Amino acid sequence: MADIKILIDKCVGCKLCIGACPFNAIVVEQKKAQILDTCTLCGACVSSCKFDAIDFQKDETGSSVDLSAYKGVWVFGEQHNGTPAGVALELLGEGRKLADQLKVSLSAVLIGENMENAAKLLISHGADSVYMVDHPSLSYFNDESYADIFVQLIKKHKPEIVLMGATTCGRSLGPRVSSRINTGLTADCTKLDIDPKKKILLQTRPAFGGNLMATIICPNHRPQMSTVRPKVMKALDPDSSRTGEIIRPDVSIPENLRTKVVEVVSNLTTMVNLTEADIIVSGGRGIGDPKYFSLLEELAKTLGGAVGASRAAVDAGWIAYCHQVGQTGKTVGPKVYFACGISGAVQHLAGMSSSDTIIAINKNPDAPIFKVANFGIVGDVLQVVPALISEFKQRLA
């Protein structure tokens, strides 16, 4: 167990360690340093001490697991009503790159009922094989049963990398699986790569409110697990001529579950469908009043798109949370993104910056949104949007 203590006979009370501690966990009393209970055992103070007065015993980080036994890249084939989710196809595209770099196979894990067609679709999008667990009790996602089955598969087949979408399902399933198999999980990744020398997964995600990007590794445990935001990776074009193996593994289907799916309500998510929309019209507090979201809805309907919103608009109660785009909402990547009355906070940009074309409408010419926009309109949303609606209706008539 890690431990840290001050060697009283060597400490001179110089206070250098106080400045080095990022958690204010060191005080000096009677010319001797003392470590408080708030210490996190980060060890930052050790190198600052010029008198070797801090004894720091680290935990053993070596792994007793034979890492060489783990091979292959796996993607969780999230599906809804027998149709693979878009993020699953995107992860297969990225997984194909990782697998080719490592010179290993790419597999998908498909859990549900009547999954034969879905398995073939996953193969056409890049999977070499599909582990298909097909059972009537698995028709609806249940993180308890899905996690149990996933853990069984990992323990038996030992993949080195497991990727899941950072969706409602993936964010629930990923932590359950990683804790059961005693490995790490990097959440909400926006970029994945392979270290060319160490052959380990480099997992990049936004940190500190999106102000910097952190690259995280998991060198001592397997599999290396990540959840990846939808719409930040690109799916491969389907190739119906691809062939692959559909594996029906022998697993135990959990029966005595603590949670059960009673009813699935899909009409709201179907109506919003932000993550799949090619065109999104988003509004912020800059539109002035919640009633003006009707204008954005009309523009979205005219273009066959969906309505999004900034966190400020959602927090104000102007529109439901399911419309929120940003770091704490949905990550989207449409072909066209209209930002109406949105200033462009970094948290919002983190959720929509991968859009192909960004059109910003704002009265403030200095709004940060204009720095990332492909096209900017400086003007009143309430005048610009009706003009756009009229023009699009004429051209689409």
Side-chain angles (χ1 to χ4, degrees):
M1 179 179 290
D3 187 35
I4 190 168
K5 61 183 178 181
I6 302 296
L7 302 178
I8 300 299
D9 57 328
K10 293 185 177 181
C11 180
V12 299
C14 66
K15 299 184 180 181
L16 290 175
C17 55
I18 293 180
C21 179
F23 301 99
N24 298 320
I26 303 177
V27 296
V28 172
E29 295 181 356
Q30 298 179 352
K31 296 185 178 182
K32 298 293 181 182
Q34 294 183 21
I35 298 177
L36 305 178
D37 292 338
T38 52
C39 174
T40 63
L41 299 174
C42 69
C45 59
V46 178
S47 60
S48 70
C49 182
K50 298 182 179 180
F51 304 95
D52 296 325
I54 302 177
D55 181 31
F56 182 38
Q57 301 294 328
K58 297 182 180 180
D59 277 330
E60 293 293 330
T61 57
S63 173
S64 59
V65 178
D66 179 14
L67 302 184
S68 64
Y70 290 78
K71 295 291 182 184
V73 178
W74 280 16
V75 168
F76 171 50
E78 181 178 336
Q79 55 81 25
H80 302 284
N81 298 321
T83 301
V87 69
L89 305 181
E90 294 162 16
L91 288 179
L92 283 174
E94 188 66 17
R96 185 72 271 165
K97 298 176 186 177
L98 301 177
D100 290 345
Q101 285 180 266
L102 293 169
K103 297 181 180 179
V104 297
S105 63
L106 171 66
S107 301
V109 176
L110 189 59
I111 304 174
E113 183 184 14
N114 299 325
M115 293 289 101
E116 193 78 29
N117 290 334
K120 294 177 181 178
L121 183 61
L122 295 177
I123 290 172
S124 72
H125 277 84
D128 297 315
S129 60
V130 176
Y131 291 90
M132 185 177 70
V133 181
D134 198 310
H135 193 272
S137 67
L138 303 172
S139 57
Y140 294 119
F141 175 81
N142 183 312
D143 51 9
E144 188 177 350
S145 58
Y146 275 46
D148 190 279
I149 291 169
F150 217 118
V151 168
Q152 292 180 56
L153 294 174
I154 289 176
K155 288 183 176 179
K156 182 176 181 179
H157 299 284
K158 294 181 169 51
E160 59 189 298
I161 294 173
V162 173
L163 307 178
M164 299 181 181
T167 60
T168 302
C169 296
R171 285 172 171 164
S172 178
L173 180 64
R176 280 179 172 267
V177 173
S178 65
S179 64
R180 292 268 297 274
I181 58 179
N182 193 32
T183 192
L185 172 67
T186 304
D188 289 345
C189 292
T190 57
K191 181 182 178 182
L192 299 172
D193 205 351
I194 299 295
D195 185 301
K197 294 182 179 179
K198 297 181 180 179
K199 300 298 181 183
I200 59 176
L201 183 63
L202 304 177
Q203 307 158 90
T204 302
R205 70 178 305 276
F208 294 100
N211 291 308
L212 60 83
M213 303 300 286
T215 298
I216 299 169
I217 60 174
C218 181
N220 300 316
H221 299 274
R222 292 293 181 273
Q224 304 158 92
M225 291 186 62
S226 305
T227 60
V228 179
R229 293 185 178 186
K231 293 294 184 179
V232 298
M233 309 297 183
K234 297 296 183 183
L236 298 174
D237 293 330
D239 181 1
S240 58
S241 65
R242 287 194 85 253
T243 58
E245 184 182 8
I246 298 178
I247 303 168
R248 294 172 174 80
D250 183 17
V251 297
S252 174
I253 306 296
E255 295 181 356
N256 298 320
L257 302 176
R258 291 171 293 180
T259 57
K260 294 182 179 179
V261 179
V262 176
E263 182 182 5
V264 176
V265 180
S266 58
N267 59 334
L268 182 61
T269 56
T270 301
M271 179 180 67
V272 178
N273 202 21
L274 280 177
T275 57
E276 301 296 331
D278 287 332
I279 297 175
I280 295 176
V281 182
S282 279
R285 289 288 295 271
I287 67 174
D289 193 283
K291 66 182 180 182
Y292 295 126
F293 263 101
S294 61
L295 278 175
L296 307 188
E297 290 171 0
E298 186 177 356
L299 177 57
K301 184 178 180 180
T302 301
L303 298 174
V307 176
S310 68
R311 177 173 178 174
V314 172
D315 286 349
W318 290 6
I319 195 168
Y321 169 75
C322 58
H323 293 269
Q324 183 173 319
V325 174
Q327 191 172 22
T328 53
K330 290 183 172 66
T331 301
V332 298
K335 294 179 179 178
V336 182
Y337 186 88
F338 289 88
C340 306
I342 294 175
S343 62
V346 292
Q347 291 84 355
H348 186 78
L349 298 182
M352 46 68 73
S353 57
S354 60
S355 304
D356 293 343
T357 301
I358 300 171
I359 301 172
I361 306 170
N362 202 296
K363 289 190 293 186
N364 179 9
D366 298 319
I369 191 68
F370 288 122
K371 295 181 180 180
V372 299
N374 301 95
F375 301 96
I377 302 175
V378 179
D380 189 338
V381 170
L382 304 184
Q383 296 177 356
V384 175
V385 171
L388 290 175
I389 293 171
S390 176
E391 183 68 22
F392 283 129
K393 284 184 176 180
Q394 290 181 21
R395 296 199 178 198
L396 295 173

